[in-house]
Amino acid sequence: MGSFLSPDPTRIIAKRIILTGHPFKVHKKTATIRYMFFNREDIEYFKSVELHTKFGRVGHITEPLGTKGYFKVHFDGPFQQIDTVCMSLYKRQYPKVCPLSY
């Protein structure tokens, strides 16, 4: 169950979606990631978003590779092959307005 707060339309409700990708090649702090995106335009669009891993590393997209959705990421420390790369995206949700029926 959950709790009910008043349906105030000025409150901001955010829904979080996490995109995940897997490392293809790893070299110290740099890794090639695949399966997060599937075309070059999406990589260029999300290039400024910060990435994080399940083991706590933080990184940024440096460049897209080819047209199949592979890209390079530079992390703040040594990256491991078994780690998963995540990107959190937030979308604003509006409360549902239901007309009262008597």
Side-chain angles (χ1 to χ4, degrees):
M1 292 302 208
S3 61
F4 177 74
L5 300 173
S6 65
D8 183 17
T10 60
R11 181 185 307 116
I12 296 176
I13 302 170
K15 180 178 180 180
R16 182 174 74 168
I17 297 173
I18 298 176
L19 297 179
T20 59
H22 302 284
F24 180 64
K25 292 181 181 178
V26 175
H27 182 72
K28 297 184 181 179
K29 294 183 180 182
T30 305
T32 302
I33 308 298
R34 64 179 174 179
Y35 301 139
M36 185 180 286
F37 301 111
F38 295 98
N39 57 26
R40 187 180 185 98
E41 292 80 23
D42 289 343
I43 298 168
E44 293 290 341
Y45 184 79
F46 290 108
K47 194 170 184 177
S48 62
V49 178
E50 184 177 81
L51 302 174
H52 64 277
T53 67
K54 292 197 173 186
F55 289 161
R57 296 284 175 213
V58 177
H60 295 280
I61 298 174
T62 56
E63 62 178 326
L65 300 173
T67 59
K68 301 297 183 185
Y70 289 43
F71 57 95
K72 283 191 177 181
V73 179
H74 186 75
F75 292 99
D76 62 346
F79 183 75
Q80 298 178 359
Q81 184 74 34
I82 61 171
D83 210 351
T84 301
V85 180
C86 303
M87 175 186 291
S88 296
L89 300 175
Y90 297 91
K91 177 182 175 184
R92 183 171 178 175
Q93 297 289 322
Y94 293 96
K96 294 180 180 177
V97 179
C98 298
L100 296 175
S101 61
Y102 294 100

